[in-house]
Amino acid sequence: MANPAASTISPARRDTPDLPWWKTTVIYQIYPRSFKDSNGDGIGDLRGIISKLNYFVYLGVETLWLSPFFTSPQADFGYDISDYKDVDPIFGTMEDFRELVKQCKLRGLRILLDFVCNHTSDRHEWFQKSLRKQGKYKDYYVWTDGKVLPDALFSYHQVSVFGGSAWEWCEERQQFYYHAFLAEQPDLNFRNPDVVEEMSLVMKYWLDLGVDGFRMDAVANLFESEDIFQDNPPSGKDVPPVSHWEYLKPVHNFYVLPECRDLLVHWQNVLDKEKQIDGKERFMVQEFYTDSDTRAAMAEYGAHAFNMDLVEELTVPLSATQMMGLIAKEYTDRPESYWPTFVVGNHDKARPATKYGPRYVDAFNMLLMTLKGTPTIYYGDELGMQDSSVAYEEAQDPFGIKIGPERYALFGRDPCRTPMQWTSETQAGFTTSRKPWLPVGKDHEQRNVQSQKKDEKSHLNLLKEYVALRSKDAFKYGDIGLDCVLNKNVLAFLRFFGSERYLVAINFGQESSTDDHRGGPVAVATGTVVANTGAVSDDLAKGRTIDLSSLTLRPGDGLVIQL
Ligand code: GLC
C-alpha cells in the first residue's frame, strides 16, 4: 500500500538514518594537566575542567576525551596508573569526578576516558605483588629468566617505544620484566585470563559512573609473541641502534594477532553488554598508528582506530595530492563497518600550527570538521596554539628527557602540552600559580580564548562555524564525493544528502591556484559561500555567489560552498 505521507515528501528528500551518537559527534581532547588549574598548584585539575564546561557548549562540541587523571606517580604523566579506580590528588577526588559527570550531563556533553590497558605503574599493587610472586599476581606481568638469554645483547633485541631495552632486571624476583614504554610502566600479561577480567572490571567501574566510552591507549602493544625469546629483526631504518624504537622491526611485540583482536572484541562486548542493560550506545576508539588497510581489517571485527595519517604521514611542505591520497583511502573499498576517525593533533605530537605552518590552521580545522567521519580536536588547536619552546633543562616529558638534548626538539612532547591559553593575563588564565608545570606559550597575550571570542574571524570562531555545519544533513548524514578538483595545491570534495550539496575546496599548497570546479559530481556553475578560512579576500566572503569556473584560492584559503 502506498504511504499516504509519501506524496508530501519531495522526491529528493531521504529519511535521515539513525546513526549512533559517536558518528555525528565532535571529540575534543583535554590533557587535564594543562587545561585549567582550579587550586593554584600550577597543574590543571577536574574542578578546572568543570569550570570551563560552558566553553564546549559555546564551541558546539559534545564529547570530551580526558587524558588520564587516575592515581599515578606521574612517571609518564598519568599514563602510568597505580590505582585505576581513583582520582590522583593532583587532579582532585572521586567526588569531583562525579560532579564532572553530572555537570556534563546537564549540558548534553559526553565523556570518553583514557583506558591505559597495556601497562600499569610499577607502583601498582598488582606489580608489587607480582614481583614477590604473590598468589594469582605472580603472572600478571611478562616475566622472563635472564639465564636463558641467547646472548649478552638480548635485552636490546626488543626495544622500548621510549628507547633502550624493553626488558628491565628485577633484583627482587631475579627475573626480567617487559615494558613497551618506560621501566616504570610494566606490561600487563593479557595471556592471563585474570588480568583480562581485572581490566574489564575497571572498564565496568567507570561505565557505571556514567562515562560514554574509552580511548584505548597503546593497543598495538598489548601482546608479545608467545615465544618471547625471538629477536626482532633490524628494521634497516637509519636511526640510532638500541636507543630508538624504530631500530628494530617489532614483529614480536606489536599488534600480535589474533590475540590483540580477541581482546579488543572482548572489550567491545563489555560495552555492548552495558547497552543491552540500559539501551545506551558506548564508543571505544583505539590509539594505533597504522595504515588505512589495517584500520579496515580492524573494522571487520568491530574495532575503530584513530586515523593518524594527518598527524604522522604528511610531508612538509604539504601537498594536496598526498593528502587526498590518504583521505580517499578512507572511503574506497572499506568494509561496511568502517567509520573514519580523523585526527590532526594530540598530546604526543607537534601541534599542526607549528608543524604545517600557522597559515593552514583554519584550513585543517575546516577539513577536519567537513570530512565524512568523526573528528577529534586537541585542546588549543582551535586557537591555533603553537608548540612552545621548552629548554631541555626544563623538560618534563620522560620520553623527551630519555632521548637526550640533541633529539629532544624532535621527539620531546612538552612543547605541545603547554597550558591552555584562556586570557592575556600573566599565566594565560590557566593558573594563579607563578610557576605552571610547563611555561605558558609566549604568544598568549594575543592568542587566547578571551580575545578570539571577540573576533568574528578568529580561529576559534571559525572552528565554531565549521562545527555548526555538522548539524546540516549533508555533513551529518551525507556521503562524500571525491571526484573533484585535485592538484598539488588544491583539494576539493562534495558532501551531499538528498537535495543538500556542499562543495569544500581548500588550498593546502604553497602557491595560489585557479581552478574550474564545475566538473565531476559538482556539475553546476555557481554556489554560495557558507564558510571560509580567516584570511580570504572579500570576494570570497560569506554569502557571496562564486563562479565555479574560475575559483582562485591562495595557500591556506578554504571555502565551504553551498551548491
Ligand atoms: C600512548 C599515549 C602516550 C603514552 C604512551 C604510554 O601512546 O598517548 O602519551 O606515553 O601511550 O602509555
Side-chain angles (χ1 to χ4, degrees), residues 273-290:
K273 270 199 196 121
E274 290 296 299
K275 186 180 172 186
Q276 282 163 16
I277 298 168
D278 61 13
K280 289 188 200 146
E281 182 99 26
R282 270 84 176 184
F283 182 49
M284 194 171 97
V285 60
Q286 327 296 331
E287 184 217 21
F288 187 3
Y289 287 82
T290 187

Side-chain angles (χ1 to χ4, degrees), residues 255-475:
Y255 196 40
V256 172
L257 292 174
E259 291 89 330
C260 265
R261 182 198 64 203
D262 292 350
L263 188 51
L264 295 180
V265 169
H266 172 81
W267 281 330
Q268 184 62 50
N269 287 340
V270 173
L271 264 58
D272 292 347
K273 270 199 196 121
E274 290 296 299
K275 186 180 172 186
Q276 282 163 16
I277 298 168
D278 61 13
K280 289 188 200 146
E281 182 99 26
R282 270 84 176 184
F283 182 49
M284 194 171 97
V285 60
Q286 327 296 331
E287 184 217 21
F288 187 3
Y289 287 82
T290 187
D291 55 21
S292 187
D293 291 342
T294 307
R295 285 193 296 275
M298 291 175 81
E300 299 270 19
Y301 59 84
H304 303 279
F306 275 136
N307 172 350
M308 305 288 199
D309 293 352
L310 302 179
V311 178
E312 196 80 329
E313 299 301 323
L314 299 182
T315 45
V316 183
L318 294 166
S319 141
T321 326
Q322 187 208 15
M323 286 174 85
M324 189 42 105
L326 292 165
I327 291 167
K329 278 193 158 190
E330 294 296 283
Y331 307 105
T332 319
D333 298 329
R334 302 291 85 165
E336 202 156 319
S337 53
Y338 195 68
W339 187 255
T341 52
F342 292 97
V343 182
V344 179
N346 64 34
H347 65 294
D348 293 326
K349 302 288 170 182
R351 285 200 180 263
T354 301
K355 190 166 168 193
Y356 305 127
R359 69 161 40 153
Y360 303 103
V361 168
D362 298 332
F364 270 105
N365 287 341
M366 176 182 276
L367 180 76
L368 193 61
M369 295 302 147
T370 55
L371 282 171
K372 180 180 178 181
T374 300
T376 299
I377 181 160
Y378 181 52
Y379 85 91
D381 283 349
E382 71 276 29
L383 306 174
M385 266 175 67
Q386 310 260 356
D387 282 348
S388 299
S389 61
V390 180
Y392 182 71
E393 298 66 46
E394 291 187 41
Q396 302 283 329
D397 172 31
F399 180 31
I401 293 169
K402 228 171 163 236
I403 210 139
E406 299 83 40
R407 290 183 301 145
Y408 172 68
L410 269 182
F411 295 100
R413 300 174 297 177
D414 295 320
C416 69
R417 296 175 174 180
T418 58
M420 176 68 171
Q421 298 173 191
W422 294 104
T423 68
S424 57
E425 292 160 273
T426 324
Q427 300 302 353
F430 162 70
T431 179
T432 52
S433 159
R434 266 188 285 161
K435 200 166 167 31
W437 81 284
L438 282 173
V440 296
K442 290 207 170 61
D443 62 354
H444 74 274
E445 283 180 20
Q446 306 76 43
R447 190 186 306 283
N448 58 67
V449 173
Q450 195 180 42
S451 63
Q452 291 204 12
K453 268 192 174 176
K454 291 184 203 141
D455 174 1
E456 205 187 314
K457 288 189 175 174
S458 65
H459 298 310
L460 176 69
N461 279 329
L462 290 171
L463 174 87
K464 182 172 152 64
E465 283 185 22
Y466 309 151
V467 171
L469 283 175
R470 296 176 58 85
S471 63
K472 299 194 177 300
D473 285 357
F475 291 102

Side-chain angles (χ1 to χ4, degrees), residues 39-70:
N39 62 359
D41 65 357
I43 302 175
D45 47 47
L46 296 184
R47 287 274 159 195
I49 297 172
I50 294 171
S51 73
K52 292 294 183 188
L53 290 181
N54 286 341
Y55 178 60
F56 304 112
V57 178
Y58 177 81
L59 279 180
V61 307
E62 307 111 2
T63 303
L64 312 179
W65 149 29
L66 272 63
S67 284
F69 52 78
F70 317 102

Side-chain angles (χ1 to χ4, degrees), residues 29 31 65 67-68 76-80 114 116-119 161-162 180-182 185 215-219 221 287 289 308 346-348 397-399 413 417:
Q29 183 190 354
Y31 193 68
W65 149 29
S67 284
D76 188 19
F77 295 122
Y79 283 93
D80 50 315
D114 223 306
V116 186
C117 40
N118 175 65
H119 46 265
V161 177
F162 288 160
F181 295 89
L182 297 173
Q185 295 168 298
R215 174 265 190 189
M216 312 289 287
D217 188 59
V219 296
N221 302 90
E287 184 217 21
Y289 287 82
M308 305 288 199
N346 64 34
H347 65 294
D348 293 326
D397 172 31
F399 180 31
R413 300 174 297 177
R417 296 175 174 180

